Amino acid sequence: MPAARPFDDIRSLLGQMPKADEAARAAAREREGQLTKPAGSLGRLEEIAEWMASWQASARPHVDNPLVAVFAGNHGVVKQGVSAYPPSVTQAMVANFTAGGAAINQICKTFDISLKVYELALEQPTGDLTEEPALDEKACAATMAFGMEALAAEPDLLVLGEMGIGNTTPAAAIYHALYGGEAEDWVGRGAGVDDKGLERKADAVRAAVARHKQYLGDPLEILARLGGRETAAIAGAILAARLRRTPVLLDGFVVCSAAAVLHALDHTALDHCLAGHVSAERAHRNVLKLLGKTPLLDLGMRLGEGSGAALAVGVVKAAVACHNGMATFAEAGVAGKEE
């Protein structure tokens, strides 16, 4: 019998993923039909309420303890000139989160969302994926397990974000490995590289996928070899949320690269996730189509930090508040639609 490998545990957990509670979804839909409004008039708010109900297994879903979890990591591929900023900015931004000075802090205050930031060995960048694996299997699986700790606070809605100078390059490499096409199809300007920097990003993505080509039939190998610590941790958090039946809001281009790995392993793995927004990072809109997700918001944002998805918490809160707080026709004494 072959010895167990670190990824075996991850594959086992994927096989244990619970499904949505369809009875709760149906009960929520029945209540929606009795509320004082024309049927379907709240559009996607009604869908969101039913989706929340199905994962919380309750006809009366709730958003009482939302959490934004931001994972921060550094990347060896930055030495290929793929970023407009040095890796030291990752640590500086983590300090800014802690001090309350970043955009995500203000959004979390506005919508009463808890924020937790996870530093992932910032002093030790991943391997340069154009020359070697970013992570080996053991380190990747361990980082996924660390990401699962985001569920320790038992949030009832999890928002995933990231911080990592250069991390749109590993994300683009993951997409290129999963979905094919040309390297140029997946790279964008990230935090603001110029035209030459964009060329270097495409070159790095192309070189990385070529170097690791023989291993890229396995999505978990793609995650390890081409991803980053924050990407692996986010994948772990998404999986842990599924096992706990916790609804998830995905942020932008980088977060969705972690989600795409799970989706490639099992096309139902993201059923408990909604796309909070579509990023201005060029390829993200196409990624969401490939994942089968329609974003809640489209505001031209490309900041990361979980910022777009955190904004979408306000939409989810409103959906749940309308679902739970509106009177039914009977309660309000309002005549229903005539047959």
Side-chain angles (χ1 to χ4, degrees):
M1 180 183 239
R5 296 177 55 189
F7 282 153
D8 290 345
D9 290 339
I10 302 298
R11 296 185 209 282
S12 176
L13 291 175
L14 283 161
Q16 300 170 35
M17 294 187 299
K19 291 180 168 57
D21 187 319
E22 294 304 328
R25 192 196 304 269
R29 186 170 296 151
E30 182 180 3
R31 174 171 171 78
E32 284 285 347
Q34 300 171 20
L35 300 179
T36 47
K37 60 178 178 60
S41 59
L42 284 177
R44 286 198 73 189
L45 294 189
E46 298 179 18
E47 297 173 21
I48 292 167
E50 292 172 13
W51 172 78
M52 289 287 290
S54 74
W55 288 106
Q56 294 182 343
S58 170
R60 296 292 191 99
H62 50 84
V63 187
D64 300 322
N65 186 33
L67 171 68
V68 172
V70 177
F71 295 94
N74 273 323
H75 299 265
V77 74
V78 168
K79 72 182 184 181
Q80 299 296 330
V82 299
S83 175
Y85 295 91
S88 59
V89 172
T90 303
Q91 181 68 63
M93 281 303 301
V94 166
N96 194 28
F97 298 149
T98 303
I104 189 60
N105 299 98
Q106 317 323 314
I107 295 169
C108 286
K109 285 178 190 174
T110 300
F111 294 105
D112 193 22
I113 310 168
S114 299
L115 173 64
K116 189 164 179 58
V117 181
Y118 297 85
E119 294 185 50
L120 299 165
L122 297 184
E123 73 289 347
Q124 184 183 354
T126 54
D128 178 352
L129 48 89
T130 67
E131 299 174 352
E132 61 182 320
L135 296 168
D136 62 24
E137 180 174 334
K138 182 178 179 181
C140 184
T143 307
M144 292 179 77
F146 181 81
M148 294 178 179
E149 294 301 312
L151 280 297
E154 299 185 359
D156 54 10
L157 180 63
L158 178 64
V159 177
L160 292 167
E162 44 62 42
M163 176 64 214
I165 292 301
N167 65 8
T168 57
T169 298
I174 288 173
Y175 295 132
H176 187 29
L178 287 174
Y179 302 132
E182 302 297 330
E184 286 80 3
D185 297 337
W186 305 106
V187 297
R189 296 192 181 275
V193 293
D194 58 16
D195 289 348
K196 288 293 186 184
L198 196 61
E199 288 179 18
R200 290 191 293 271
K201 285 182 76 169
D203 289 343
V205 167
R206 188 166 26 251
V209 170
R211 173 170 286 277
H212 302 286
K213 185 175 182 179
Q214 70 187 94
Y215 302 99
L216 302 184
D218 178 358
L220 288 175
E221 287 284 355
I222 290 174
L223 178 63
R225 290 172 174 274
L226 303 180
R229 290 191 181 88
E230 67 269 50
T231 327
I234 289 166
I238 294 170
L239 179 54
R242 176 59 169 268
L243 296 172
R244 287 177 173 260
R245 307 180 62 92
T246 302
V248 172
L249 291 181
L250 302 172
D251 196 48
F253 187 75
V254 176
V255 168
C256 284
S257 70
V261 169
L262 298 178
H263 186 260
L265 288 161
D266 185 325
H267 71 278
T268 71
L270 305 181
D271 287 358
H272 65 305
C273 302
L274 292 181
H277 80 129
V278 58
S279 168
E281 187 72 1
R282 189 178 59 171
H284 190 227
R285 196 174 298 272
N286 188 35
V287 167
L288 292 180
K289 288 179 182 176
L290 290 164
L291 296 179
K293 302 294 181 187
T294 302
L296 297 182
L297 301 174
D298 183 354
L299 300 173
M301 296 173 67
R302 54 179 179 82
L303 177 62
E305 305 178 4
S307 53
L311 272 174
V313 171
V315 176
V316 177
K317 281 191 168 189
V320 169
C322 288
H323 178 80
N324 290 328
M326 286 179 68
T328 64
F329 283 104
E331 290 166 346
V334 175
K337 184 178 180 181
E338 294 183 1
E339 298 296 332

